[in-house]
Amino acid sequence: MAAVQVGKRMIGADAPVTVGWDNIGRVEGGPIKQFIFTYFQPAVLFGLILFWYYAPNAIAVASTGLMIGLGFKALLLILEWVNPRYDSWRLTWKEFATDVFYVGLGYTILRMVDSYIGDGAMIEAVQGALDWDKFAWFTGLPLLLQALLISMMFDFGQYWMHRGMHNWHPLWLVHAPHHYITQLNVNKGAVGNPVELFLIGLGIGGFFDFLPRAFLLAGVFGMAVSTYQHINVRFNTPAWWRFVFNTTEHHSVHHSQDYEATRSNYAGTWIIWDRIFGTCIDGEAERLGMEGGRRMDIRETMVFPFVEGYKSAKAALAKRVGRSASSAPQLEPAE
Amino acid sequence: MKGPTGGTASAVAGRWVNHRRQAEPTGKNGMNLPLIDVIWRVRGQLPLDAPMAADEAFARLDPLFQTPGTTYGINDDTLTYTKRNPAAQDRLATFTRGSLQIDQSAQGTVLRYDLSSTALLLCLLAPLLFLAFAQLAVAANAWEKSGAEASETARQDQDKPKAVGKLNPIDAFLGAPAPADLNKRNDKNQKDGRHSPKPGYVLAGLFFVIYLVGRWLEPWLIRRQFRAALSSALPVEQSYTKVR
């Protein structure tokens, strides 16, 4: 298979990946469709920033954000139906029902557990231990600057956690089920082993006792940028947007069946973190997943880290015991 | 009499397509619960426009079974199959077991099918799980409430006045609303407890709706799929499609 060299890496040796922006698909259709799918993303982002900046205190609350988030996802489901990126990623009834199950876990049992042992508990503990008056310099900054810093710091934490997941076996075991998704749809971000959600949620941005409005503004970047990671919609995304922000294109490369391509584009919102740390690959891919595109069912997703972890630990133990048993020097092949 | 034939899809190599075993027709050796199996079983018949031999009909339907994870067998006029964890775009992904029979009657050729779906069954059971989560939230609130009453320090922390935040001059100039006084905040969640059972109830209802949609939509789609396959000489497309 023809591979393309990106830096020191060969991308696309295992599975097809389109590298660079030159051969990326464009929106097909009349001028109205072209207009909508070119300006939709920036219009939503700036519209939401204006909303959260000027909304009265009674409206600028987390529950409003939750409702806007749900409405936005419903709108994106319609866009997936109207203008899909790939027909091979079409949402089916079974895929939708499966995705909603994972989303449902996040809104119910995982949220509860998280408040006791996850980042909810950690934020509470740190806030109780520190003198937050010392951070008045931060909460006195302009709102948009606060929001930008919160979003970028949180994403910085997520970048390194995600990169760690791809480079350290125990963390990879909890992240691997998410890489068995074979197509991108609005709710696919929630598909994975629940343990992963605790780890990926542990960003450092949450430790600031910021103004609620700045937090809500920071959430706009998560909603109006990060949501597009897992989505089957073809956009003519502006060049400035894909230079700064993560896109479906970037994330499809990250999920491709090509091993080297998966070790790229780790950021959730700000792809510039990948550009800075040398892991960005511009491009897109259609064939996604692991083991040639094997779909992982819910049962296996839930037990995968534990089953595979047990196997790995057993193998490592057997290797160590075997090594100590045969302590005599071994012959080594000549150079 | 012709012997049984069949095969295992091998379009994609891997450990998940190498199970070859004779599929059993649903309802004969499988679970047979006529009163409630309508939840996960779909039976139907499709009269064909022109008379067609079983061999030809199954040849036309063959692409539906040439997919990863599929095992099938043909015995005379009956095809039985099982699909183990089918791909997302597998046309029969919802119905993972079933039998298809070509019946030659005086009225013409009829395809009779009897399909079984684990996904539909689990979708109808999912509301029970989310109702359980909702009840868990209620129980956790009650447990926390009893703990909070005993903890005097927690109450003292809550009574500590919080500083009112100041707006940056730039934001004041641009007209952003001033920060709310957190001391005047009437937090309803503090009274009801921090775990809301509402998402559990909403999701239980949502899964019931998804089930109803699936129970109507999926049989309609598969019937359309069978009709298209049997009326066309072209194989059903299962491959990756054009890039838009």
Side-chain angles (χ1 to χ4, degrees), chain B:
Chain B
M1 191 174 168
K2 196 170 64 175
T5 59
T8 304
S10 57
V12 178
R15 63 183 167 88
W16 51 304
V17 292
N18 58 10
H19 303 272
R20 198 203 181 293
R21 60 188 165 86
Q22 185 70 35
E24 292 168 350
T26 325
K28 283 185 183 172
N29 298 321
M31 237 187 325
N32 195 4
L33 302 164
L35 289 177
I36 60 163
D37 68 359
V38 71
I39 291 168
W40 65 86
R41 268 173 86 172
V42 169
R43 301 177 186 86
Q45 53 182 5
L46 184 68
L48 305 190
D49 296 335
M52 194 182 289
D55 283 351
E56 189 186 346
F58 291 142
R60 289 182 180 220
L61 292 167
D62 192 55
L64 291 171
F65 306 104
Q66 293 299 332
T67 55
T70 305
T71 309
Y72 68 99
I74 298 171
N75 197 349
D76 285 342
D77 60 352
T78 304
L79 182 152
T80 55
Y81 76 90
T82 57
K83 284 178 182 278
R84 188 172 174 273
N85 208 8
Q89 297 297 325
D90 191 320
R91 308 281 178 175
L92 277 164
T94 302
F95 301 102
T96 43
R97 276 156 48 96
S99 65
L100 287 74
Q101 189 184 15
I102 297 294
D103 194 7
Q104 310 285 358
S105 67
Q107 283 78 32
T109 309
V110 176
L111 169 71
R112 297 183 201 284
Y113 53 91
D114 182 352
L115 312 176
S116 189
S117 171
T118 311
L120 279 171
L121 176 62
L122 291 175
C123 192
L124 191 67
L125 293 175
L128 297 177
L129 179 69
F130 285 98
L131 287 176
F133 288 154
Q135 291 312 301
L136 201 62
V138 172
N141 283 337
W143 174 68
E144 283 195 354
K145 203 175 173 185
S146 60
E149 278 165 8
S151 167
E152 194 63 36
T153 50
R155 199 178 302 159
Q156 279 172 355
D157 278 353
Q158 281 173 8
D159 292 345
K160 207 185 284 177
K162 288 174 179 159
V164 180
K166 281 182 185 171
L167 211 56
N168 184 279
I170 294 173
D171 295 318
F173 173 75
L174 291 172
D181 185 352
L182 296 177
N183 298 308
K184 291 178 185 169
R185 194 174 58 169
N186 181 21
D187 202 340
K188 189 174 170 287
N189 288 340
Q190 294 283 340
K191 267 186 215 164
D192 297 344
R194 60 176 172 152
H195 306 297
S196 172
K198 208 185 285 178
Y201 296 137
V202 171
L203 280 152
L206 184 60
F207 267 102
F208 188 65
V209 173
I210 292 172
Y211 170 77
L212 291 177
V213 170
R215 186 62 184 80
W216 171 81
L217 178 70
E218 290 298 293
W220 181 78
L221 283 175
I222 201 60
R223 188 180 170 84
R224 199 177 68 159
Q225 195 65 47
F226 286 151
R227 190 194 298 276
L230 289 168
S231 62
S232 167
L234 296 169
V236 179
E237 285 291 333
Q238 290 286 333
S239 59
Y240 283 92
T241 50
K242 68 184 174 78
V243 175
R244 283 179 177 246

Side-chain angles (χ1 to χ4, degrees), chain A residues 192-266:
Chain A
N193 186 274
V195 177
E196 181 188 6
L197 297 183
F198 297 119
L199 297 172
I200 209 82
L202 300 180
I204 52 174
F207 291 166
F208 276 112
D209 191 16
F210 33 71
L211 285 171
R213 190 176 292 272
F215 173 75
L216 294 166
L217 272 165
V220 169
F221 293 102
M223 201 186 95
V225 177
S226 195
T227 308
Y228 298 121
Q229 282 180 91
H230 306 93
I231 189 179
N232 182 24
V233 178
R234 171 66 70 196
F235 290 114
N236 291 335
T237 307
W240 66 266
W241 180 290
R242 58 194 186 195
F243 181 78
V244 178
F245 292 137
N246 200 5
T247 60
T248 319
E249 287 91 342
H250 287 115
H251 208 60
S252 66
V253 171
H254 179 75
H255 272 279
S256 92
Q257 290 181 19
D258 183 66
Y259 173 74
E260 275 298 331
T262 62
R263 301 172 58 75
S264 67
N265 304 346
Y266 296 115

Side-chain angles (χ1 to χ4, degrees), chain A residues 39-60:
Chain A
Y39 297 105
F40 178 86
Q41 291 171 297
V44 169
L45 176 66
F46 292 124
L48 283 171
I49 287 174
L50 283 175
F51 172 80
W52 287 112
Y53 192 83
Y54 287 112
N57 289 329
I59 296 173

Side-chain angles (χ1 to χ4, degrees), chain A residues 10-293:
Chain A
M10 297 303 288
I11 303 299
D14 308 328
V17 177
T18 306
V19 177
W21 297 130
D22 296 337
N23 297 312
I24 298 293
R26 302 279 299 173
V27 175
E28 290 176 359
I32 296 174
K33 192 177 174 188
Q34 293 279 347
F35 180 82
I36 290 172
F37 287 96
T38 300
Y39 297 105
F40 178 86
Q41 291 171 297
V44 169
L45 176 66
F46 292 124
L48 283 171
I49 287 174
L50 283 175
F51 172 80
W52 287 112
Y53 192 83
Y54 287 112
N57 289 329
I59 296 173
V61 289
S63 57
T64 309
L66 192 73
M67 295 316 288
I68 291 177
L70 288 173
F72 185 57
K73 281 200 171 180
L75 175 64
L76 294 180
L77 280 171
I78 295 169
L79 294 188
E80 282 197 346
W81 183 57
V82 171
N83 191 33
R85 176 174 295 265
Y86 296 116
D87 281 333
S88 63
W89 292 0
R90 280 272 187 195
L91 193 59
T92 62
W93 173 84
K94 189 179 175 186
E95 283 295 300
F96 179 70
T98 309
D99 295 351
V100 171
F101 175 78
Y102 289 104
V103 172
L105 289 185
Y107 276 100
T108 53
I109 186 73
L110 295 182
R111 183 172 285 188
M112 279 179 66
V113 176
D114 203 37
S115 69
Y116 293 113
I117 62 167
D119 58 345
M122 193 182 284
I123 288 166
E124 237 171 68
V126 174
Q127 282 181 342
L130 292 178
D131 181 6
W132 289 100
D133 287 342
K134 287 177 184 170
F135 288 94
W137 64 269
F138 182 82
T139 54
L141 290 173
L143 279 171
L144 286 175
L145 185 59
Q146 284 183 62
L148 214 60
L149 289 171
I150 292 165
S151 173
M152 292 192 73
M153 284 172 64
F154 182 76
D155 205 45
F156 180 82
Q158 286 210 323
Y159 171 88
W160 284 104
M161 176 57 85
H162 191 186
R163 194 167 165 174
M165 285 175 165
H166 280 263
N167 285 281
W168 191 47
H169 189 64
L171 285 178
W172 167 248
L173 288 177
V174 296
H175 184 50
H178 177 62
H179 272 268
Y180 278 82
I181 58 172
T182 54
Q183 57 184 68
L184 298 182
N185 300 112
V186 172
N187 291 318
K188 283 287 190 287
V191 177
N193 186 274
V195 177
E196 181 188 6
L197 297 183
F198 297 119
L199 297 172
I200 209 82
L202 300 180
I204 52 174
F207 291 166
F208 276 112
D209 191 16
F210 33 71
L211 285 171
R213 190 176 292 272
F215 173 75
L216 294 166
L217 272 165
V220 169
F221 293 102
M223 201 186 95
V225 177
S226 195
T227 308
Y228 298 121
Q229 282 180 91
H230 306 93
I231 189 179
N232 182 24
V233 178
R234 171 66 70 196
F235 290 114
N236 291 335
T237 307
W240 66 266
W241 180 290
R242 58 194 186 195
F243 181 78
V244 178
F245 292 137
N246 200 5
T247 60
T248 319
E249 287 91 342
H250 287 115
H251 208 60
S252 66
V253 171
H254 179 75
H255 272 279
S256 92
Q257 290 181 19
D258 183 66
Y259 173 74
E260 275 298 331
T262 62
R263 301 172 58 75
S264 67
N265 304 346
Y266 296 115
T269 303
W270 300 89
I271 199 71
I272 47 172
W273 288 133
D274 284 278
R275 294 195 193 284
I276 290 169
F277 295 115
T279 48
C280 181
I281 293 175
D282 294 323
E284 71 173 353
E286 181 180 7
R287 290 191 168 203
L288 313 183
M290 307 275 295
E291 296 179 40

